[in-house]
């Protein structure tokens, strides 16, 4: 269950997705480019808040803005440039393990929050005052700071209707303050932690 929660957090971070929408993703909403198809098509796409389909499934909860059938590309150039191939791998790992029509990360929001809080405590990062929802903002903050995506692209990826909702990501002070709260030892431990995660999500 802890591995599933870690995978959900990675997907939420890279896709700028709210925790509730991340946990609602099922195997039906993950589309991978097939061998022999046009290589210019996206390699991996997730549909957020799908409408009912021909399988008779009920519509997923809409996004906060009331939308359905929103798509997010994983493993695109910007994410790979940020060394976030692990997020794509976590999505593929979960989609291959999930039963057809079942949530990829088959855990409740309450359990997800519990596991997240425990992990934050274990690595002594309570001073950051983070929650699972912070992943939705951490992804665009990082991409804006590293100039990996323009604000227009960030707005589209995060499904924000208004440009004013993403202007905060132009201001990098909040991100830098969070990083400044981490000790040198904690920062040095990040590469090893990422390697462990990569091993967890090998397919």
């Amino acid at each position: 269950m802890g591995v599933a929660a870690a995978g959900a957090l990675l997907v939420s971070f890279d896709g700028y997705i709210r925790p509730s929408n991340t946990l609602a993703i099922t195997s039906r909403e993950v589309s991978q480019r097939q061998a022999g198809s046009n290589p210019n098509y996206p390699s991996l796409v997730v549909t957020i808040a799908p409408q009912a389909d021909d399988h008779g499934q009920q519509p997923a909860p809409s996004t906060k803005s009331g939308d359905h059938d929103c798509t997010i590309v994983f493993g695109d150039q910007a994410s790979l440039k940020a060394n976030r191939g692990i997020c794509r791998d976590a999505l593929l790992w979960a989609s291959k393990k999930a039963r057809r029509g079942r949530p990829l990360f088959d855990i409740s929001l309450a359990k997800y929050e519990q596991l997240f809080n425990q992990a934050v405590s274990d690595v002594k990062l309570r001073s950051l005052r983070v929650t699972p929802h912070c992943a939705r903002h951490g992804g665009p903050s990082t991409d804006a700071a590293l100039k990996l995506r323009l604000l227009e692209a960030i707005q589209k990826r995060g499904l924000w209707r208004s440009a004013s909702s993403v202007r905060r990501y132009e201001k990098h002070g909040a991100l830098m303050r969070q990083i400044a709260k981490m000790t040198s030892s904690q920062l040095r431990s990040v590469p090893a932690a990422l390697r462990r995660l990569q091993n967890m999500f090998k397919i």
Side-chain angles (χ1 to χ4, degrees), residues 11-12 16-26 29 46-50 60-65 67 72 105 109 136 159:
V11 168
S12 183
Y16 312 169
I17 310 172
R18 292 181 179 86
S20 58
N21 289 126
T22 301
L23 297 180
I25 299 170
T26 76
E29 282 94 69
V46 171
T47 301
I48 301 297
S62 67
T63 64
K64 188 176 179 180
S65 55
D67 294 320
I72 299 172
F105 307 105
L109 181 59
R136 170 166 166 79
L159 309 178

Side-chain angles (χ1 to χ4, degrees), residues 1-9 23 93-94 104-107 112 115 201:
M1 194 171 288
V3 178
L9 188 68
L23 297 180
W93 173 87
L104 299 187
F105 307 105
D106 212 359
I107 53 177
Y112 180 48
L115 290 167
F201 297 117

Side-chain angles (χ1 to χ4, degrees), residues 178-190:
Q178 289 290 74
I179 294 173
K181 291 177 184 177
M182 299 176 67
T183 66
S184 297
S185 176
Q186 287 169 333
L187 290 170
R188 287 196 301 271
S189 71
V190 170

Side-chain angles (χ1 to χ4, degrees), residues 190-203:
V190 170
L194 284 174
R195 286 194 294 273
R196 287 196 295 273
L197 281 172
Q198 286 166 343
N199 287 331
M200 287 180 188
F201 297 117
K202 279 185 178 177
I203 300 172

Side-chain angles (χ1 to χ4, degrees), residues 11-199:
V11 168
S12 183
F13 183 91
D14 191 47
Y16 312 169
I17 310 172
R18 292 181 179 86
S20 58
N21 289 126
T22 301
L23 297 180
I25 299 170
T26 76
S27 56
R28 287 195 181 102
E29 282 94 69
V30 180
S31 302
Q32 190 173 6
R33 186 177 65 215
Q34 297 299 309
S37 62
N38 191 322
N40 293 318
Y41 290 154
S43 61
L44 189 62
V45 173
V46 171
T47 301
I48 301 297
Q51 292 279 27
D53 62 13
D54 55 5
H55 297 281
Q57 72 179 100
Q58 294 298 311
S62 67
T63 64
K64 188 176 179 180
S65 55
D67 294 320
H68 281 281
D69 291 326
C70 305
T71 57
I72 299 172
V73 176
F74 282 79
D76 64 346
Q77 186 176 7
S79 291
L80 294 180
K81 190 174 180 180
N83 294 318
R84 291 206 298 264
I86 186 176
C87 302
R88 173 202 56 200
D89 295 345
L91 181 60
L92 286 171
W93 173 87
S95 65
K96 290 183 183 300
K97 287 179 65 69
R99 287 182 295 161
R100 184 69 176 168
R102 293 293 301 163
L104 299 187
F105 307 105
D106 212 359
I107 53 177
S108 68
L109 181 59
K111 186 63 178 177
Y112 180 48
E113 291 171 339
Q114 178 189 343
L115 290 167
F116 180 91
N117 291 333
Q118 184 60 55
V120 169
S121 180
D122 289 346
V123 296
K124 298 179 173 56
L125 287 176
R126 285 193 177 277
S127 64
L128 300 184
R129 296 186 177 182
V130 288
T131 68
H133 190 80
C134 290
R136 170 166 166 79
H137 301 295
S141 293
T142 301
D143 289 351
L146 297 178
K147 296 181 171 53
L148 296 171
R149 300 184 203 272
L150 298 175
L151 283 188
E152 183 180 354
I154 288 173
Q155 179 184 343
K156 183 177 180 181
R157 186 173 184 81
L159 309 178
W160 287 286
R161 286 191 172 181
S162 170
S164 62
S165 298
V166 299
R167 289 197 187 110
R168 74 182 93 170
Y169 302 120
E170 286 183 305
K171 304 171 184 178
H172 310 313
L175 176 64
M176 299 312 295
R177 284 195 297 274
Q178 289 290 74
I179 294 173
K181 291 177 184 177
M182 299 176 67
T183 66
S184 297
S185 176
Q186 287 169 333
L187 290 170
R188 287 196 301 271
S189 71
V190 170
L194 284 174
R195 286 194 294 273
R196 287 196 295 273
L197 281 172
Q198 286 166 343
N199 287 331

